[in-house]
Amino acid sequence: DLLTDGGLRAAANTRDVLHTLFQERCRTSGMIVSTRNPKVAQDFCDMALVIDNAELQLFDSVEKALASTQRSRAVARRAAQRG
């Protein structure tokens, strides 16, 4: 158990405590995580739902979602540069 193993007592700060609790929950449960941080998505998720231009896209891997998002941003940048 996380609480009796000293996991929380060993945590240096609140962020460490929350990270430890989150990791423990990920081991035993499914959950929906909302993040704009690719590292968080890669560390804790095995699939992704991306909201882009009011459309939902479901990806079977975080890597595919990140690649699609990068392509969409590149297209938007090029369109903005053209005016």
Side-chain angles (χ1 to χ4, degrees):
D1 181 89
L2 181 63
L3 297 174
T4 58
D5 286 347
L8 291 180
R9 280 180 250 114
N13 60 42
T14 303
R15 183 176 220 169
D16 291 341
V17 170
L18 294 175
H19 186 76
T20 301
L21 288 171
F22 190 78
Q23 284 181 313
E24 183 66 20
R25 178 59 61 102
C26 285
R27 283 186 334 102
T28 60
S29 305
M31 68 177 89
I32 297 172
V33 177
S34 174
T35 185
R36 290 178 181 226
N37 184 329
K39 179 78 171 125
V40 169
Q42 290 169 323
D43 287 350
F44 295 107
C45 303
D46 55 9
M47 59 189 314
L49 180 67
V50 175
I51 304 171
D52 188 28
N53 293 324
E55 293 184 11
L56 299 175
Q57 296 178 355
L58 181 62
F59 295 90
D60 61 2
S61 76
V62 172
E63 289 73 26
K64 289 178 183 176
L66 292 173
S68 175
T69 300
Q70 289 172 348
R71 283 192 302 274
S72 293
R73 287 181 181 167
V75 168
R77 274 193 301 275
R78 285 193 298 272
Q81 289 172 347
R82 282 183 257 152

